Amino acid sequence: VNGPGTTTTGDVLWPYIAISPDHTAIYIVGSYDNTSSASAVGYIQFGTFSLDEAGKATFNGNAWSQAIGDTNSNDANAGYDEAGDYVLRVSPQGKIGLLWRETDYVDQAINLYFIESTDGGSTWTPDNFSPLESAVDQGTTNGGNEVYSGPWSGLDFFYAGEDAKILWTSTLQLFPSTGGNTYF
């Protein structure tokens, strides 16, 4: 999904698209593969395509307009995403909403974020990236396993008119002292 003028450092993974109410634009988010990392992780990229009458899509501007939550922005790595855990929707009046789960196991940051744009993705609000919900350390079990509760699964939202209705499942995850993890 790399377009002309792309600013990514690798391939875009797990693309998610939404279409404008007038069917003239396609909005797309994807996690770009951080080629300096041994695993397929990176930050969320956002871009738009224009659709002509024949249905041909052309990247707008310089392809990917921005990296959401990249290390060089004011959101302290909020867009770090490991598995395409995001949802992109458009309201009936054209407001774009983006819901995602940051999954940074290295820094123990598992947070749920939501932002909206009323100008086709040029700017987003809020711009301070305050989490809706964060994973919480529930302590260590007698066996030495770490337990966290948080927004691990069931991520979705929809627009009821212009109001976003956000859904997620808060579950427990066990990080065994022997490695790996288990949801329960």
Side-chain angles (χ1 to χ4, degrees):
V1 186
N2 285 339
T6 185
T7 59
T8 63
T9 58
D11 292 329
V12 173
L13 306 169
W14 307 295
Y16 199 112
I17 66 168
I19 300 174
S20 65
D22 63 2
H23 306 284
T24 61
I26 296 175
Y27 306 113
I28 184 170
V29 292
S31 296
Y32 69 84
D33 178 14
N34 184 348
T35 56
S36 64
S37 173
S39 60
V41 296
Y43 293 89
I44 299 171
Q45 287 281 111
F46 175 84
T48 64
F49 291 91
S50 291
L51 288 173
D52 65 18
E53 290 182 14
K56 181 181 177 190
T58 307
F59 250 126
N60 292 331
N62 289 326
W64 297 104
S65 62
Q66 59 185 287
I68 295 172
D70 203 343
T71 56
N72 297 322
S73 60
N74 66 350
D75 46 29
N77 299 333
Y80 189 82
D81 187 78
E82 183 176 76
D85 293 333
Y86 37 77
V87 179
L88 184 69
R89 302 266 192 251
V90 181
S91 75
Q93 297 298 314
K95 182 173 22 178
I96 304 168
L98 176 61
L99 175 69
W100 77 94
R101 179 178 29 256
E102 167 196 22
T103 49
D104 183 353
Y105 290 114
V106 174
D107 294 326
Q108 298 298 318
I110 295 84
N111 298 301
L112 191 63
Y113 294 95
F114 180 73
I115 57 177
E116 292 180 302
S117 176
T118 58
D119 58 7
S122 294
T123 59
W124 297 88
T125 56
D127 60 3
N128 60 1
F129 290 85
S130 296
L132 295 174
E133 180 162 327
S134 299
V136 176
D137 187 345
Q138 299 295 327
T140 306
T141 66
N142 289 341
N145 304 314
E146 285 292 318
V147 178
Y148 284 83
S149 64
W152 298 106
S153 62
L155 181 67
D156 203 354
F157 84 96
F158 62 93
Y159 277 104
E162 294 300 299
D163 297 324
K165 305 298 182 181
I166 300 169
L167 310 160
W168 72 87
T169 302
S170 186
T171 59
L172 295 176
Q173 183 171 12
L174 175 74
F175 292 91
S177 57
T178 57
N181 54 54
T182 305
Y183 297 99
F184 58 98

